[in-house]
Amino acid sequence: MRPALRWPAIVAAVTFVALLAAAGLRSAPSVLMVPLEVHFGWDRATISATAALGIFLYGLVGPFAAALMQSFGIKRTMIAGLSLMAASTFASQWMSEAWHYLLLWGVFSGVGTGAITMVLGAAVVNRWFAARQGLVMGLFSASAATGALVFLPVLAWLTREGAWKPVVLVVSLACLALIPLVALLVPERPQDVGVARFGEEPGDAPPAPRQAANPALAITVLVQASRSPVFWLLFGTFFVCGLTTNGLVGTHLIAYCGDHGIAPVAAAGLLSTMGLFDLFGTTASGWLTDRYDPRRLLFVYYGLRGLSLVALPFIDFSATSLAVFAVFYGLDWIATVPPTVAITNRTFGERDAPIVFGWVMVGHQIGAATAALGAGIIREEWGTYAPAFMIAGLFGVAAALAALMLPGRRQAEPLTA
């Protein structure tokens, strides 16, 4: 491998695996839902509330983590997040009350995974890559689905007889194993190992870091970005992205399939199929983002996703129907990330874009938390998840129309910091 590519490729690979582990942790509550309900007698709404809180903090911490990466460093922020993820999930082996689960899997793991989220991917892309940013961001985005692909079948198999402790042990050990990998293989900047950003032309330089960066910078950047209508369009569409993916499908699809007599392992396999096809779909989305208008891509992605969710309650839940849904939906699972990052970079500049994208991710996680909690309540009150999936689908169609209001390639101008 050429020296100019070797270190960027290594850093990208480690970041991909770290994002994969965080995604695996966030997907674990979907397989824990029924075992915890049976073992402790907690109701579905209570368990969903913990999943919702974890999802919300996963997004809320993002912009502050992005600011910390500028002062505390990317490597140290990653290690801190992985350590908190490992400690909180390992300690949950001894939980006995619902508030223990809320504290460990809602608060602590939510904060830990917030440091290992798409804002990390955006920071690494901007710091290590001058070319092929869309493609690399697509790979990072796909890691979230790959986390489900790798973890969910194993975690579901571990719960096949109602057990839940093996799940938390596997997740904690996976996070712990990544800490030395990050410590050894993630230099802070390309200059530290004597290389330039991949694709950087002679004389070019990466965006200069802000001086005295600290977590308060996240608020400063938010105030600046909030003056732009583009920010609120990105925030709103990403709210729908979270509402229609990990908040609803990622958290409740296994339980929804259970309502139709489908075993947890088979339902987890369905999510894994989505993860497999999203690996291709989101990577392809990154490739397309480097070549086509991102807002038109977002229109297609949100529109197809919304229509598929509206149709889901009306299928017969046979193996064939679910397989078709899994493939179709999987290709579009989080394909929205690369074009959203591209618009954020162009509009707000590469220096502030990771923090702005962190705040856009807050919208994503608020949407996800809304769906995780709301779908649990709808299931508890109505006895079915069907209305939740139909509502989410209509939101997807609305987001597709809103995406057309975003700036095109030649309309976006970087804001003055």
Side-chain angles (χ1 to χ4, degrees), residues 8-383:
I10 291 172
V11 173
V14 175
T15 303
F16 180 94
V17 176
L19 291 168
L20 183 150
L25 190 155
R26 289 269 57 92
S27 68
S30 65
V31 298
L32 288 172
M33 188 171 293
V34 174
L36 292 178
E37 186 177 25
V38 172
H39 185 83
F40 293 107
W42 303 336
D43 61 50
R44 191 73 57 89
T46 298
I47 299 171
S48 297
T50 293
L53 179 60
I55 289 170
F56 172 70
L57 289 176
Y58 172 70
L60 181 63
V61 171
F64 297 96
L68 272 178
M69 289 173 195
Q70 293 192 21
S71 55
F72 191 56
I74 288 179
K75 177 192 289 190
R76 292 176 180 176
T77 303
M78 290 178 70
I79 290 174
L82 289 167
S83 299
L84 187 55
M85 289 159 58
S88 61
T89 52
F90 187 80
S92 67
Q93 294 178 87
W94 295 281
M95 65 184 179
S96 58
E97 302 289 341
W99 70 268
H100 296 163
Y101 184 52
L102 183 71
L103 183 66
L104 294 171
W105 280 82
V107 178
F108 291 146
S109 76
V111 172
T113 53
I116 315 291
T117 183
M118 285 299 103
V119 295
L120 168 64
V124 169
V125 164
N126 284 351
R127 186 169 294 186
W128 286 88
F129 293 87
R132 299 291 184 267
Q133 290 187 338
L135 178 61
V136 177
M137 197 65 208
L139 286 168
F140 287 162
S141 304
S143 67
T146 308
L149 172 67
V150 172
F151 279 95
L152 275 177
V154 176
L155 299 182
W157 180 78
L158 291 173
T159 65
R160 65 194 185 284
E161 295 179 358
W164 60 271
K165 286 188 178 182
V167 172
V168 302
L169 184 61
V170 166
V171 172
S172 64
L173 291 178
C175 296
L176 185 64
L178 280 172
I179 295 174
L181 201 63
V182 172
L184 292 173
L185 298 178
V186 180
E188 192 56 44
R189 296 182 179 276
Q191 300 93 310
D192 295 344
V193 288
V195 300
R197 293 193 300 168
F198 175 74
E200 194 169 73
E201 297 295 332
D204 290 348
R210 286 179 178 268
Q211 298 299 314
N214 59 70
L217 175 61
I219 303 298
T220 303
V221 173
L222 173 63
V223 172
Q224 294 175 348
S226 65
R227 297 169 185 159
S228 169
V230 176
F231 171 79
W232 293 110
L233 281 170
L234 292 172
F235 188 94
T237 52
F238 237 42
F239 173 93
V240 176
C241 184
L243 186 85
T244 53
T245 53
N246 57 320
L248 179 64
V249 175
T251 303
H252 291 283
L253 185 63
I254 291 177
Y256 191 19
C257 289
D259 289 347
H260 288 80
I262 300 170
V265 173
L270 191 67
L271 283 174
S272 294
T273 301
M274 293 181 186
L276 174 63
F277 280 91
D278 181 71
L279 182 62
F280 298 104
T282 305
T283 303
S285 175
W287 184 86
L288 291 169
T289 299
D290 287 332
R291 291 161 175 79
Y292 299 102
D293 188 343
R295 63 177 178 171
R296 298 187 185 278
L297 297 177
L298 290 175
F299 171 76
V300 173
Y301 298 156
Y302 283 119
L304 293 178
R305 184 187 302 175
L307 294 174
S308 66
L309 288 175
V310 169
L312 180 62
F314 299 98
I315 68 174
D316 58 7
F317 278 77
S318 66
T320 301
S321 298
L322 288 174
V324 170
F325 173 78
V327 171
F328 184 81
Y329 191 85
L331 288 170
D332 188 26
W333 177 264
I334 49 173
T336 54
V337 174
T340 300
V341 171
I343 294 172
T344 305
N345 279 339
R346 274 204 315 274
T347 306
F348 300 100
E350 289 190 352
R351 183 180 64 179
D352 289 342
I355 300 176
V356 175
F357 181 66
W359 284 112
V360 173
M361 276 293 297
V362 172
H364 184 282
Q365 298 312 108
I366 292 174
T370 300
L373 178 60
I377 293 173
I378 288 174
R379 169 63 174 75
E380 200 72 25
E381 296 295 325
W382 291 47

